Amino acid sequence: MTPLVTAAVLLAAVTHAGWNAIAHRITDKLTGFTLIAGGGMLIGLALLPFTTVPKAAAWPYLLVSAALHIAYYALLMRSFRLGDFGQAYPIARGTAPLLVTVLAAVFAHEVPDRWASAGVLLACAGLTGVAAWGLRGSRPDWAAVGAALATGVSIAAYTVVDGLGVRASGSSLGYVAWLMAVQGTVLPAWFLYRHRSRAWALLRPRAGLGLVGAAMSVAAYALVLWAQTRAELAPIAALRESSVKLCSCSNNAIAQQA
């Protein structure tokens, strides 16, 4: 992994931590994720005239990824409802790099060398430690742990699918623009169906914050997709999960301010 790719992934980790902190700050998770997904859709649509349409070979990956991202949002919201953020989020993110390593070896024929493997294992061990620290002094909520593990599976799945898709697309920016435009329709549609006439009244107080989160989310994933065209998937996934510690710090600061 070159220094430029490493810097891009680390910047993605920072912006990823930022949008997750914003999502966590919005009490109603459906409202928060609707704003972020809907804002991402608007950004994606705005980018379409300035990007290249992904090649035909990339579209099956893109559509599968959109479905996986929607599942990820649903599982993450369930994890947050069932368990503490400090417990659910490290478990969800910590399982992903190891699964990405296995899936990338099977589907992308990328077998990391011993140093890359050691880095992935170290990242997973560190995130497991964060999760264990969040559980100290209390019994695990197994329903929350199960939801967090399922979230981790969805993260690993869309990471590998997008890695293959963006490499086939011919344009990482075009791929992310279309991905955001497609996947961003579902949560807002569901929100409008559930709340109907009350929808705007619920969204308006947090609209600005949600749109900032959406911009950070798109920027973070665009950087990751670009990096996936230039390096192996497993090391990128492991390095990206440094955002978990940043998320923990951000949310501790928010909790102290509350």
Side-chain angles (χ1 to χ4, degrees), residues 212-241:
V212 171
M216 297 178 77
S217 174
V218 174
Y221 209 55
L223 287 166
V224 168
L225 288 176
W226 175 81
Q228 287 178 326
T229 65
R230 286 161 172 79
E232 293 185 349
L233 303 181
I236 291 172
L239 185 59
R240 182 189 179 205
E241 301 314 335

Side-chain angles (χ1 to χ4, degrees), residues 58-162:
W59 278 95
Y61 296 107
L62 191 151
L63 295 175
V64 170
S65 174
L68 289 169
H69 274 86
I70 292 163
Y72 160 71
Y73 283 137
L75 288 166
L76 188 58
M77 285 188 286
R78 179 171 174 79
S79 298
F80 285 169
R81 285 196 301 268
L82 290 174
D84 180 76
F85 181 90
Q87 173 185 335
Y89 197 71
I91 293 173
R93 305 302 309 195
T95 55
L98 194 57
L99 290 173
V100 168
T101 303
V102 175
L103 293 174
V106 174
F107 294 104
H109 309 293
E110 293 180 358
V111 179
D113 61 26
R114 60 182 181 178
W115 289 109
S117 298
V120 171
L121 291 174
L122 181 62
C124 292
L127 294 169
T128 301
V130 172
W133 182 257
L135 288 170
R136 68 193 187 281
S138 62
R139 296 181 61 184
D141 183 337
W142 293 113
V145 170
L149 288 172
T151 305
V153 172
S154 70
I155 293 167
Y158 75 62
T159 297
V160 174
V161 168
D162 280 333

